[in-house]
Amino acid sequence: MSYAEKMKNEWFGNVRGDILSGIVVALALIPEAIAFSIIAGVDPMVGLYAAFCIAVVIAFVGGRPGMISGATGAMALLMVTLVADHGLEYLLAATILTGIIQVLFGVFKLASVMKFVPRSVMIGFVNALAILIFTAQLQHFVGETWIMYSLVALTLAIIYILPKFTKAVPSPLVAIIIVSVLAIAMNMGVRTVGDMGTLPATLPMFALPNIPLTFETLMIILPYSLALAMVGLLESLLTASIVDDMTDTGSDKNKESRGQGIANMVTGCFGGMAGCAMIGQAVINVKSGGRGRLSSLVAGVFLMFLILVLGGLVVQIPMAALVGVMIMVSVSTFDWSSLKNIHRVPRTDALVMVVTVGTVVYTHDLSKGVFAGVLLSAIFFAAKISKVNVESHFDKKASRLTYSIHGQLFFASVTELIEKVEFETKAKEVVIDLSNAHLWDDSAVGAIDKMESKFEKRGAKVYITGLNKESSVLMDKIGGLSKASGH
Amino acid sequence: MFNKILLAVDGSEHADRATDKAIALARLSKNATVELLYVVDGNKSKSDVLKYGDSDTASFKRKEMLKAYEAKLYNKSVAYETTILHGSAAQTIIEHANKGQYDCLVMGSRGRNEFQTFLLGGVSHKVMKHVKAPIMLVK
């Protein structure tokens, strides 16, 4: 297939399915974009502009057709303190910088770095995200009446029971409409989206963030941008893999990284907050028949159209309905199968998952959780692989003591190795057999040198045998330095 | 009698027993073939990708999982082929079953608990309603 044919297929290979699913996704995106803006502490418009800009830009530059990106909970949660301490303009600047970092990731083909994030950390990431989205809803219950509680319950009931009868319309949307109509008609006086911020019915306008362009500004936004860039790519590439699997097709992960970056740069210039791919929306899109780039474009454009036309109604949506939808989002984000299988996976993997979740819930920062999880996995890995076995054999006739060493020799395993060797010997010859060992670093070489010199001090002649090629190259390069005699 | 049998499996114990029944049916005629069908739905995609890292590994693990069924068929010298499809379980089974000329569809009654069946609806129930071929539902 030529490039033009490929593009034509990605855009127009599934027009009907893409338009219909795009409309469904646009309807499902609105409540989420508003709710994530509220989590981040900005006006609902910031999340809606982000959803619009990101969905439209990704349609053109993304690497995974059929995937939906927009304002997400994972990203919103990372922005809370930046918005609270410095305000919206700094968030927009951080969004642009996030985009630049992500483009660099894509250009230097660093998508493969994601393989250093173990699967148990990814599962912990998703579960922690679900828990945070849920706990972010709890503040809306404070000081509320039973009217609000029952509206939330009604929203959830409609969301979960309606699909039993029809799947033609997304049930969260129906729930929002019914609950809104009910609240307005009966004049319940509950808090609405309008109480959380303004929602002007205007298209996003191009404007660079109004911030002082100083080194100090950069130092304020850089840590946020790094965390946003990392978490955004993590969730985007995970979502891309899920869409790959659902549609049984491949995707270009580096192109997706660049695309996410471009989308965030554009979003920041148009007053939107940083976003990334959305697992839930992508699954809804594919399930509704969306496969091509057109679905993302339709979702973005239709969302903006609805907001421009219906903006006056959107502000009247009760917060209770939004809270109900977000509870549903958190329940479906959580990877329940990981709980069901927790007794079956290795205990260290389960612990890594729990620590990832615990760190995120404690710090409210997904990037810190991922960091803690990766670090703990690395420690467990080093502990597992640093087991060394030493077998000794003494040949009386030749007065030859043979040590065969099994395992990986590196900084973490050499202490154990030295402890396992008995240096008090009267043997004339000592053979260190390394045919089942691999030397990885200078600590390993140092340990072998140390063994050699200790035995030689006791008057034994030392032979080292069975070095594999890599190990002997390492040995030649740095070996013998710590020992006076040499060979 | 039953020459072309479609066997839908999901990795549950019910599917194990359904496989035994499909073999018994196939052995009634000389040239019977069994088509082993496994459908990956959206939620399965999500949890498998989380569990195995990427789509390729997930696909590999699914083929591994199906080997148990293939071995059963092979050991009883039943000719078989394997199909893996992606989509909503009930809908995909229905479409695939109605597209081919199958003499019988054999499947396990699903391993969902009552609460899940209440929320999601039974796959076997929908399949029973919409598949044209005769169906054997194995408990």
Side-chain angles (χ1 to χ4, degrees), chain A residues 119 122-123 126 160 164 238 241-242 244-246 248 279 287 332-335 337 341, chain B residues 40 42-43 45-47 49-55 58-59 62 86 117-119 126:
Chain A
R119 295 190 305 245
M122 282 312 296
I123 295 172
V126 168
Y160 283 110
K164 285 188 64 65
L238 173 68
S241 286
I242 292 172
D244 286 356
D245 194 62
M246 285 185 79
D248 209 11
I279 299 176
K287 275 188 181 170
S332 59
T333 300
F334 200 92
D335 180 33
S337 71
N341 293 327
Chain B
V40 185
N43 295 334
S45 274
K46 184 186 154 193
S47 60
V49 167
L50 273 174
K51 205 154 112 198
Y52 301 123
D54 58 42
S55 179
S59 304
R62 286 175 201 136
H86 297 256
T117 310
F118 168 73
L119 283 181
K126 281 181 211 150

Side-chain angles (χ1 to χ4, degrees), chain B residues 23-114:
Chain B
I23 291 171
L25 275 185
R27 285 165 70 91
L28 292 178
S29 23
K30 260 189 193 148
N31 302 314
T33 57
V34 170
E35 183 180 346
L36 188 62
L37 173 66
Y38 180 65
V39 179
V40 185
D41 72 9
N43 295 334
K44 188 80 185 150
S45 274
K46 184 186 154 193
S47 60
D48 277 1
V49 167
L50 273 174
K51 205 154 112 198
Y52 301 123
D54 58 42
S55 179
D56 290 341
T57 321
S59 304
F60 175 76
K61 288 282 174 185
R62 286 175 201 136
K63 281 180 196 143
E64 293 267 284
M65 188 271 283
L66 290 175
K67 277 194 180 135
Y69 301 107
E70 291 173 345
K72 269 190 173 188
L73 291 158
Y74 180 83
N75 288 338
K76 293 281 185 309
S77 345
V78 176
Y80 67 87
E81 54 181 309
T82 306
T83 308
I84 298 179
L85 296 175
H86 297 256
S88 123
Q91 200 189 330
T92 311
I93 293 175
I94 292 165
E95 276 168 19
H96 190 74
N98 287 342
K99 227 171 16 192
Q101 299 291 319
Y102 296 101
D103 298 316
C104 184
L105 163 65
V106 184
M107 65 184 289
S109 63
R110 260 289 271 243
R112 277 183 180 148
N113 62 35
E114 273 177 41

Side-chain angles (χ1 to χ4, degrees), chain A residues 280-351:
Chain A
Q281 299 294 342
V283 170
I284 291 176
N285 189 42
V286 176
K287 275 188 181 170
S288 311
R291 292 290 182 278
R293 296 178 176 274
L294 195 58
S295 58
S296 182
L297 181 70
V298 170
V301 171
F302 192 62
L303 169 131
M304 206 60 233
F305 169 76
L306 281 177
I307 293 303
L308 292 182
V309 177
L310 304 174
L313 291 176
V314 170
V315 289
Q316 298 185 48
I317 296 173
M319 280 309 295
L322 222 48
V323 169
V325 172
M326 281 300 112
I327 292 175
M328 180 275 292
V329 168
S330 77
V331 168
S332 59
T333 300
F334 200 92
D335 180 33
W336 295 98
S337 71
S338 67
L339 275 194
K340 224 163 45 187
N341 293 327
I342 199 157
H343 59 281
R344 267 186 240 150
V345 300
R347 205 168 288 170
T348 48
D349 283 7
L351 190 63

Side-chain angles (χ1 to χ4, degrees), chain A residues 7 63 91 126 155 158 181 280-281 293 295 306 308 322 342 359 395 405-406 435 437 444 453 479:
Chain A
M7 270 297 138
L91 170 61
V126 168
T155 308
I158 296 172
V181 168
Q281 299 294 342
R293 296 178 176 274
S295 58
L306 281 177
L308 292 182
L322 222 48
I342 199 157
T359 310
D395 184 346
I405 296 164
H406 297 250
S435 42
S453 66

